């Protein structure tokens, strides 16, 4: 399993951040490769299922995911249920005080972490129509760095949308294989 953690600080209360992140269909607005998210069932809480259609290079691929657990306002967990072995969570941690360098007038600060663990070799090859002479291994090798870039982009854009303004976002990125 490969693991990736991207975290940063958002200058809003944890409850507001949690509610925002619970809206999975909105993620397609932040991602270069996520084309759309369709709710299959549920109300957004535990048990809710989504079909997430990705497009990268000459490939499109749909992954079905399920929200497995929610703990307001600290955690949203999910896992894929079809076409890929993956799971992850959003951690939302209210900070006692704003960190050094916070914008003037900041009343609240929250550390937000996006964690994902996935097995790239578990992707259902039958669900991917590869161009002639392109191997599945070649695609996986090129996809790994794209996943890190995509996670960083999503977290940066989530912060911008949450705070209502663009700013330099200080990200902490951890990658484990």
């Amino acid at each position: 399993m490969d693991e990736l953690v991207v975290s940063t600080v958002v200058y809003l209360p944890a409850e507001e951040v949690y509610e925002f992140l619970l809206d999975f269909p909105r993620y397609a607005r932040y991602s270069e490769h996520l084309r759309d998210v369709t709710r299959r069932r549920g109300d957004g809480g535990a048990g809710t299922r989504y079909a997430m259609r990705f497009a990268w290079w000459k490939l499109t691929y749909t992954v079905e995911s399920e929200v497995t657990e929610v703990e307001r306002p600290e955690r949203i967990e999910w896992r894929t249920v079809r076409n890929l072995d993956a799971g992850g969570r959003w951690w939302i941690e209210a900070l006692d005080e704003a960190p050094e360098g916070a914008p003037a007038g900041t009343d609240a600060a929250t550390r937000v972490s996006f964690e994902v663990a996935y097995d790239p070799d578990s992707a259902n090859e039958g669900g991917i129509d590869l161009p002639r002479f392109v191997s599945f291994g070649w695609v996986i090798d090129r996809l790994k760095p794209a996943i890190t870039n995509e996670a960083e982009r999503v977290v940066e854009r989530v912060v911008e949308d949450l705070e209502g303004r663009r700013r330099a976002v200080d990200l902490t990125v951890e990658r484990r294989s």
Side-chain angles (χ1 to χ4, degrees), residues 15-62:
E15 182 69 36
E16 190 173 333
V17 174
Y18 173 88
E19 286 298 325
F20 185 90
L21 293 173
L22 201 54
D23 184 6
F24 277 67
R26 149 186 339 213
Y27 296 169
R29 295 193 330 220
Y30 309 126
S31 171
E32 182 178 343
H33 305 295
L34 179 58
R35 295 299 180 239
D36 58 70
V37 179
T38 305
R39 187 181 315 193
R40 297 278 197 221
R41 72 167 193 235
D43 61 2
T48 302
R49 284 204 177 183
Y50 298 96
M52 303 170 72
R53 188 172 59 88
F54 293 89
W56 174 78
W57 187 54
K58 297 178 181 187
L59 309 174
T60 59
Y61 194 69
T62 300

Coordinates of all heavy atoms in Angstrom, one line a residue, residues 15-62:
E15 N -15.8 23.1 13.0 CA -17.2 22.7 12.6 C -17.5 23.1 11.2 O -18.1 22.4 10.4 CB -18.2 23.2 13.6 CG -19.6 22.8 13.3 CD -19.9 21.3 13.5 OE1 -19.3 20.7 14.5 OE2 -20.7 20.8 12.7
E16 N -17.1 24.3 10.9 CA -17.3 24.9 9.5 C -16.5 24.1 8.5 O -17.0 23.8 7.4 CB -17.0 26.3 9.5 CG -17.4 27.0 8.2 CD -17.1 28.5 8.3 OE1 -17.1 29.1 9.4 OE2 -17.0 29.1 7.2
V17 N -15.3 23.7 8.8 CA -14.4 23.0 7.9 C -15.0 21.6 7.7 O -15.1 21.1 6.6 CB -13.0 22.9 8.5 CG1 -12.1 22.0 7.6 CG2 -12.4 24.3 8.5
Y18 N -15.4 21.0 8.8 CA -16.0 19.6 8.7 C -17.2 19.6 7.8 O -17.3 18.7 6.9 CB -16.4 19.2 10.2 CG -17.2 17.9 10.2 CD1 -16.5 16.7 10.3 CD2 -18.6 17.9 10.1 CE1 -17.2 15.5 10.3 CE2 -19.3 16.7 10.2 CZ -18.6 15.5 10.2 OH -19.3 14.3 10.3
E19 N -18.2 20.5 8.0 CA -19.4 20.5 7.2 C -19.0 20.7 5.7 O -19.6 20.1 4.8 CB -20.3 21.7 7.6 CG -21.0 21.4 8.9 CD -22.0 20.2 8.8 OE1 -22.6 19.9 7.7 OE2 -22.1 19.5 9.8
F20 N -18.0 21.5 5.4 CA -17.6 21.8 4.0 C -17.0 20.5 3.4 O -17.4 20.1 2.3 CB -16.5 22.9 4.1 CG -16.1 23.3 2.7 CD1 -16.7 24.3 2.1 CD2 -15.0 22.7 2.1 CE1 -16.3 24.8 0.8 CE2 -14.6 23.1 0.9 CZ -15.2 24.2 0.2
L21 N -16.2 19.8 4.2 CA -15.5 18.6 3.6 C -16.5 17.4 3.5 O -16.2 16.5 2.7 CB -14.3 18.2 4.5 CG -13.2 19.2 4.5 CD1 -12.2 18.8 5.6 CD2 -12.6 19.3 3.1
L22 N -17.6 17.4 4.2 CA -18.6 16.3 4.1 C -19.3 16.3 2.7 O -19.8 15.3 2.3 CB -19.6 16.5 5.2 CG -20.4 15.3 5.7 CD1 -19.5 14.1 6.0 CD2 -21.2 15.6 6.8
D23 N -19.2 17.4 2.0 CA -19.8 17.5 0.7 C -18.9 16.9 -0.4 O -18.3 17.7 -1.2 CB -20.2 18.9 0.4 CG -21.0 19.1 -0.9 OD1 -21.3 18.1 -1.5 OD2 -21.2 20.3 -1.3
F24 N -18.8 15.6 -0.6 CA -18.0 15.0 -1.6 C -18.2 15.4 -3.0 O -17.2 15.6 -3.7 CB -18.1 13.4 -1.5 CG -17.3 12.8 -0.4 CD1 -17.6 13.0 0.9 CD2 -16.2 11.9 -0.7 CE1 -16.8 12.5 1.9 CE2 -15.5 11.4 0.3 CZ -15.8 11.6 1.6
P25 N -19.4 15.6 -3.5 CA -19.6 16.0 -4.9 C -18.9 17.3 -5.3 O -18.5 17.5 -6.4 CB -21.1 16.1 -5.0 CG -21.6 15.1 -4.1 CD -20.7 15.3 -2.9
R26 N -18.6 18.1 -4.3 CA -18.0 19.4 -4.6 C -16.5 19.2 -5.0 O -15.9 20.1 -5.6 CB -18.1 20.3 -3.3 CG -17.0 21.2 -3.0 CD -17.2 21.9 -1.7 NE -18.5 21.9 -1.1 CZ -19.0 22.9 -0.4 NH1 -18.3 23.9 -0.1 NH2 -20.2 22.8 0.0
Y27 N -15.9 18.1 -4.6 CA -14.5 17.8 -4.8 C -14.1 17.9 -6.3 O -13.0 18.2 -6.7 CB -14.0 16.5 -4.3 CG -14.1 16.4 -2.8 CD1 -13.9 15.1 -2.2 CD2 -14.4 17.5 -2.0 CE1 -14.0 15.0 -0.8 CE2 -14.5 17.3 -0.6 CZ -14.3 16.1 0.0 OH -14.4 16.0 1.3
A28 N -15.0 17.6 -7.2 CA -14.7 17.7 -8.6 C -14.3 19.1 -9.1 O -13.6 19.3 -10.0 CB -15.9 17.2 -9.4
R29 N -14.7 20.1 -8.3 CA -14.4 21.5 -8.6 C -12.9 21.8 -8.3 O -12.3 22.7 -8.8 CB -15.2 22.5 -7.8 CG -16.7 22.4 -8.2 CD -17.5 23.6 -7.7 NE -17.0 24.1 -6.4 CZ -17.9 24.5 -5.5 NH1 -19.2 24.4 -5.6 NH2 -17.4 25.0 -4.4
Y30 N -12.3 21.0 -7.5 CA -10.9 21.3 -7.0 C -9.9 20.4 -7.7 O -8.7 20.7 -7.6 CB -10.8 21.0 -5.5 CG -11.9 21.7 -4.7 CD1 -12.7 21.0 -3.8 CD2 -12.1 23.1 -4.9 CE1 -13.6 21.7 -3.1 CE2 -13.1 23.7 -4.2 CZ -13.8 23.0 -3.3 OH -14.8 23.6 -2.6
S31 N -10.3 19.4 -8.4 CA -9.4 18.4 -8.9 C -9.3 18.6 -10.5 O -10.2 18.8 -11.2 CB -10.0 17.0 -8.6 OG -9.3 16.0 -9.3
E32 N -8.1 18.4 -10.9 CA -7.8 18.4 -12.4 C -8.3 17.2 -13.0 O -8.7 17.2 -14.2 CB -6.3 18.6 -12.6 CG -6.0 18.7 -14.1 CD -4.5 19.0 -14.3 OE1 -3.8 19.4 -13.4 OE2 -4.1 18.7 -15.5
H33 N -8.3 16.1 -12.3 CA -8.5 14.8 -12.9 C -9.9 14.1 -12.5 O -10.3 13.2 -13.1 CB -7.4 13.8 -12.6 CG -6.1 14.3 -13.1 ND1 -5.8 14.5 -14.4 CD2 -5.0 14.7 -12.4 CE1 -4.6 15.0 -14.5 NE2 -4.1 15.2 -13.3
L34 N -10.5 14.6 -11.5 CA -11.8 14.1 -11.1 C -12.9 14.9 -11.9 O -13.1 16.1 -11.7 CB -12.0 14.3 -9.6 CG -13.3 13.9 -9.0 CD1 -13.6 12.4 -9.2 CD2 -13.3 14.2 -7.5
R35 N -13.5 14.2 -12.8 CA -14.5 14.8 -13.7 C -15.8 15.0 -13.0 O -16.4 16.1 -13.2 CB -14.7 14.0 -14.9 CG -13.4 13.9 -15.8 CD -13.0 15.3 -16.2 NE -11.8 15.2 -17.0 CZ -10.7 15.8 -16.7 NH1 -10.6 16.6 -15.6 NH2 -9.7 15.8 -17.5
D36 N -16.3 14.1 -12.3 CA -17.6 14.2 -11.6 C -17.7 13.2 -10.4 O -17.1 12.2 -10.4 CB -18.8 14.2 -12.5 CG -18.9 12.9 -13.3 OD1 -19.2 11.8 -12.7 OD2 -18.7 12.9 -14.5
V37 N -18.6 13.6 -9.5 CA -18.9 12.7 -8.3 C -20.4 12.7 -8.3 O -21.1 13.7 -8.2 CB -18.3 13.3 -7.0 CG1 -18.7 12.4 -5.9 CG2 -16.8 13.5 -7.1
T38 N -20.9 11.5 -8.3 CA -22.4 11.2 -8.3 C -22.7 10.5 -7.0 O -22.2 9.4 -6.8 CB -22.8 10.4 -9.5 OG1 -22.4 11.1 -10.7 CG2 -24.3 10.3 -9.6
R39 N -23.7 11.0 -6.3 CA -24.1 10.3 -5.1 C -25.0 9.1 -5.5 O -26.0 9.3 -6.2 CB -24.9 11.2 -4.1 CG -25.2 10.5 -2.8 CD -26.0 11.4 -1.9 NE -25.4 12.7 -1.8 CZ -25.7 13.6 -0.9 NH1 -26.6 13.4 0.0 NH2 -25.2 14.8 -1.0
R40 N -24.7 7.9 -5.1 CA -25.5 6.7 -5.4 C -26.5 6.5 -4.4 O -27.6 6.0 -4.7 CB -24.5 5.5 -5.5 CG -23.5 5.6 -6.6 CD -24.2 5.2 -7.9 NE -23.1 4.9 -8.9 CZ -23.1 5.2 -10.1 NH1 -24.2 5.9 -10.6 NH2 -22.2 4.9 -10.9
R41 N -26.2 6.7 -3.1 CA -27.2 6.6 -2.0 C -26.6 7.3 -0.8 O -25.4 7.5 -0.6 CB -27.4 5.1 -1.8 CG -26.3 4.4 -1.1 CD -26.8 3.0 -0.6 NE -25.8 2.5 0.3 CZ -25.2 1.3 0.2 NH1 -25.5 0.5 -0.8 NH2 -24.3 0.9 1.1
G42 N -27.6 7.6 0.1 CA -27.2 8.1 1.4 C -27.4 9.6 1.5 O -27.7 10.3 0.5
D43 N -27.1 10.2 2.7 CA -27.3 11.6 2.9 C -26.0 12.4 3.2 O -26.0 13.5 3.6 CB -28.2 11.8 4.2 CG -27.6 11.2 5.4 OD1 -26.4 10.6 5.4 OD2 -28.2 11.2 6.5
G44 N -24.8 11.7 2.9 CA -23.5 12.4 3.1 C -22.8 11.8 4.3 O -21.6 11.9 4.4
G45 N -23.5 11.2 5.2 CA -22.9 10.6 6.4 C -22.4 9.1 6.1 O -22.3 8.7 4.9
A46 N -22.1 8.4 7.2 CA -21.7 7.0 7.0 C -22.7 6.2 6.2 O -23.9 6.4 6.4 CB -21.5 6.4 8.4
G47 N -22.1 5.4 5.3 CA -23.0 4.6 4.4 C -23.3 5.2 3.1 O -23.8 4.5 2.2
T48 N -23.0 6.5 2.9 CA -23.2 7.2 1.7 C -22.2 6.7 0.6 O -21.0 6.5 0.9 CB -23.1 8.7 1.8 OG1 -24.0 9.1 2.8 CG2 -23.4 9.4 0.5
R49 N -22.7 6.4 -0.6 CA -21.8 5.9 -1.7 C -21.8 6.9 -2.8 O -22.8 7.5 -3.1 CB -22.3 4.5 -2.2 CG -22.0 3.4 -1.3 CD -21.9 2.1 -2.0 NE -21.5 1.1 -1.1 CZ -21.3 -0.1 -1.4 NH1 -21.5 -0.5 -2.7 NH2 -20.9 -1.0 -0.5
Y50 N -20.6 7.0 -3.4 CA -20.4 7.9 -4.5 C -19.7 7.2 -5.6 O -18.8 6.3 -5.4 CB -19.5 9.1 -4.1 CG -20.1 9.9 -3.0 CD1 -19.7 9.7 -1.7 CD2 -21.0 11.0 -3.3 CE1 -20.3 10.5 -0.7 CE2 -21.5 11.8 -2.3 CZ -21.1 11.5 -1.0 OH -21.7 12.3 0.0
A51 N -20.0 7.5 -6.9 CA -19.3 7.1 -8.0 C -18.4 8.3 -8.4 O -18.9 9.4 -8.6 CB -20.2 6.7 -9.2
M52 N -17.1 8.1 -8.5 CA -16.1 9.1 -8.8 C -15.5 8.8 -10.1 O -14.7 7.8 -10.2 CB -15.1 9.2 -7.7 CG -15.8 9.5 -6.3 SD -14.7 9.4 -4.9 CE -13.8 10.9 -5.1
R53 N -15.7 9.7 -11.1 CA -15.1 9.4 -12.5 C -13.9 10.3 -12.7 O -14.0 11.5 -12.6 CB -16.2 9.7 -13.6 CG -15.7 9.2 -14.9 CD -16.8 9.4 -16.0 NE -17.4 10.7 -16.1 CZ -16.9 11.6 -16.9 NH1 -15.9 11.3 -17.7 NH2 -17.4 12.8 -17.0
F54 N -12.8 9.6 -12.9 CA -11.5 10.2 -13.1 C -11.1 10.2 -14.6 O -11.4 9.2 -15.3 CB -10.4 9.6 -12.3 CG -10.6 9.7 -10.8 CD1 -11.3 8.8 -10.1 CD2 -9.9 10.8 -10.1 CE1 -11.5 8.9 -8.7 CE2 -10.1 10.9 -8.8 CZ -10.8 10.0 -8.0
A55 N -10.4 11.2 -15.0 CA -9.8 11.2 -16.4 C -8.4 11.7 -16.3 O -8.1 12.7 -15.7 CB -10.6 12.0 -17.3
W56 N -7.4 10.9 -16.8 CA -6.0 11.3 -16.8 C -5.4 10.8 -18.1 O -5.7 9.6 -18.5 CB -5.4 10.7 -15.6 CG -3.9 10.9 -15.5 CD1 -3.2 12.1 -15.2 CD2 -2.9 10.0 -15.8 NE1 -1.9 11.9 -15.2 CE2 -1.6 10.6 -15.7 CE3 -2.9 8.6 -16.3 CZ2 -0.4 9.9 -15.9 CZ3 -1.7 8.0 -16.5 CH2 -0.5 8.6 -16.3
W57 N -4.6 11.6 -18.7 CA -4.0 11.2 -20.0 C -5.1 10.8 -21.0 O -5.9 11.6 -21.3 CB -2.9 10.2 -19.7 CG -2.1 9.8 -20.9 CD1 -1.3 10.7 -21.6 CD2 -1.8 8.5 -21.4 NE1 -0.7 10.0 -22.6 CE2 -0.9 8.7 -22.5 CE3 -2.3 7.3 -21.1 CZ2 -0.5 7.6 -23.2 CZ3 -1.8 6.2 -21.8 CH2 -1.0 6.4 -22.9
K58 N -5.0 9.6 -21.5 CA -6.1 9.1 -22.4 C -7.0 8.1 -21.7 O -7.7 7.4 -22.4 CB -5.4 8.4 -23.6 CG -4.5 9.4 -24.4 CD -3.8 8.6 -25.5 CE -2.9 9.6 -26.3 NZ -2.3 9.0 -27.5
L59 N -7.0 8.2 -20.4 CA -7.8 7.2 -19.7 C -8.9 7.8 -18.9 O -8.8 8.9 -18.4 CB -6.9 6.4 -18.7 CG -5.6 5.8 -19.3 CD1 -4.7 5.3 -18.1 CD2 -5.9 4.8 -20.3
T60 N -10.0 7.1 -18.8 CA -11.1 7.4 -17.8 C -11.3 6.2 -16.9 O -11.2 5.0 -17.4 CB -12.4 7.9 -18.5 OG1 -12.9 6.8 -19.3 CG2 -12.2 9.1 -19.3
Y61 N -11.7 6.4 -15.7 CA -11.9 5.3 -14.8 C -12.8 5.7 -13.7 O -12.7 6.9 -13.1 CB -10.5 5.0 -14.1 CG -10.4 3.7 -13.4 CD1 -10.4 2.5 -14.1 CD2 -10.2 3.7 -12.1 CE1 -10.3 1.3 -13.4 CE2 -10.1 2.4 -11.4 CZ -10.1 1.3 -12.1 OH -10.0 0.1 -11.4
T62 N -13.8 4.9 -13.3 CA -14.7 5.2 -12.3 C -14.5 4.3 -11.1 O -14.3 3.1 -11.2 CB -16.2 5.0 -12.8 OG1 -16.4 5.8 -13.9 CG2 -17.2 5.3 -11.7

